[in-house]
Amino acid sequence: MDEPITSRWVGFAWGIIALSFAMFLTGGAVSSIYRPTRSGVDEVFRPSIESGFWYWVAAFHYWGSAFLFLAAAISIVWLFLAGFRTTGRRFWLPALSLFLICFALQVTGNSLPLEQHDIRNVNVEISIAAQAPVVGQRVAEFLRQGATFSDATTRLWYNLSIGLVVLLAVVWLWQIALLRSKTGAKLDIFDRILGAIVVAIPICLAAMLPRATGEIYNQVDASSLAANPSWYILPLHCLLGLFASISPNLGWVGAMLIPGVLTLIALTAPRWALAFSPRKRLGVVVGCSAVL
């Protein structure tokens, strides 16, 4: 049995694609005035985005990237609940890949404005990586590019963001090809409105709310681990704290091993969840949400 995927999800997916394309354009525009050094950000980038055209572009990119991550999460939950006896199973890997890339972009891109809170979060994230057995210290040294956060760190994370954007473009084209050839769904006016809402929400947020800003980092922040976790990584920080409370050497289990295992399980979902009833699939979603 191979039924067409719901047209509502297809409309939502087209909205995600449109928003990701908008992020590609605004990210490229912002990068034209961005320099991955402390002086470049402090003297050129930050003054440029304080008003006028660049202020709105930066605000839209800030809110749009956050909402794209949330929309990608909603998309994979929606697909999972729809089951894998429909054409939806063909979209599982690109949709999951989009979600994981958006998460990675939040991690790497969030540090680029070089604000105090963001740099301290980067230090915490690198310290988590350092706890991994065998390769942890080498990974941490690579991500930090030195003893403390510096311009070399910024350049690396900027280049990582560019690489992730290239991967996002590949997944974007993959999903477009599938949507154009595999859905069998006819979009009505409500489907199109749903897709438009995905783009409209970050536009409204950018118009109503400023981009979150803070002071540029200083020498103390460059090595500090005192930071409240950002919203997108809060579950991993909580898992880190839970396992670190058992033993300081187990923090990586909650922050790295468990998310890694769950990612591998998610990649194989079209196989193991094929025979799940709607109630069982809903139970999996509720259980995962409770843990998060």
Side-chain angles (χ1 to χ4, degrees):
M1 191 166 61
D2 191 14
E3 300 172 354
I5 192 172
T6 170
S7 64
R8 293 288 185 268
W9 183 88
V10 174
F12 188 73
W14 277 115
I16 290 176
I17 287 172
L19 181 56
S20 63
F21 183 67
M23 292 298 97
F24 180 81
L25 293 179
T26 54
V30 169
S31 68
S32 68
I33 60 170
Y34 182 82
R35 303 292 180 271
T37 63
R38 189 184 187 284
S39 60
V41 170
D42 195 25
E43 297 169 11
V44 179
F45 179 70
R46 287 169 64 92
S48 298
I49 63 171
E50 287 181 355
S51 61
F53 171 76
W54 289 115
Y55 175 87
W56 187 88
V57 171
F60 176 70
H61 192 76
Y62 174 83
W63 290 110
S65 61
F67 190 75
L68 180 61
F69 174 64
L70 288 176
I74 293 170
S75 172
I76 59 173
V77 171
W78 195 339
L79 275 178
F80 185 81
L81 290 176
F84 295 99
R85 293 188 181 277
T86 71
T87 52
R89 68 178 177 270
R90 296 184 179 93
F91 291 94
W92 181 252
L93 284 180
L96 182 61
S97 299
L98 180 69
F99 168 75
L100 294 174
I101 293 170
C102 287
F103 174 78
L105 279 170
Q106 283 292 129
V107 172
T108 57
N110 194 48
S111 67
L112 299 182
L114 301 185
E115 290 157 9
Q116 292 177 346
H117 175 265
D118 302 330
I119 300 310
R120 291 185 176 211
N121 259 302
V122 168
N123 291 335
V124 173
E125 290 154 8
I126 292 175
S127 72
I128 294 171
Q131 295 180 32
V134 184
V135 298
Q137 288 299 326
R138 291 184 180 181
V139 171
E141 290 170 5
F142 170 74
L143 292 175
R144 194 183 296 112
Q145 295 286 290
T148 61
F149 194 98
S150 65
D151 284 350
T153 317
T154 306
R155 283 191 289 269
L156 172 66
W157 286 55
Y158 179 67
N159 291 331
L160 289 175
S161 295
I162 293 175
L164 288 167
V165 168
V166 173
L167 287 177
L168 182 64
V170 172
V171 174
W172 181 72
L173 293 172
W174 182 11
Q175 195 154 23
I176 286 177
L178 288 174
L179 285 170
R180 290 176 64 87
S181 64
K182 299 292 185 181
T183 61
K186 302 297 183 181
L187 301 186
D188 59 24
I189 185 64
F190 295 105
D191 303 324
R192 299 177 191 277
I193 290 174
L194 182 61
I197 288 174
V198 175
V199 181
I201 287 177
I203 291 176
C204 294
L205 289 172
M208 294 186 297
L209 298 172
R211 185 184 72 85
T213 57
E215 295 297 321
I216 198 165
Y217 83 97
N218 55 40
Q219 193 158 357
V220 173
D221 302 313
S223 57
S224 175
L225 297 176
N228 292 320
S230 296
W231 63 273
Y232 61 90
I233 208 166
L234 180 60
L236 298 187
H237 276 248
C238 290
L239 284 170
L240 167 68
L242 176 64
F243 280 84
S245 67
I246 300 172
S247 171
N249 295 325
L250 291 180
W252 70 277
V253 174
M256 297 176 65
L257 181 61
I258 289 179
V261 170
L262 291 177
T263 300
L264 291 176
I265 292 173
L267 286 170
T268 60
R271 291 184 177 275
W272 58 262
L274 182 63
F276 276 30
S277 66
R279 179 174 293 182
K280 285 184 178 180
R281 291 196 299 271
L282 181 60
V284 171
V285 171
V286 171
C288 291
S289 300
V291 171
L292 292 175

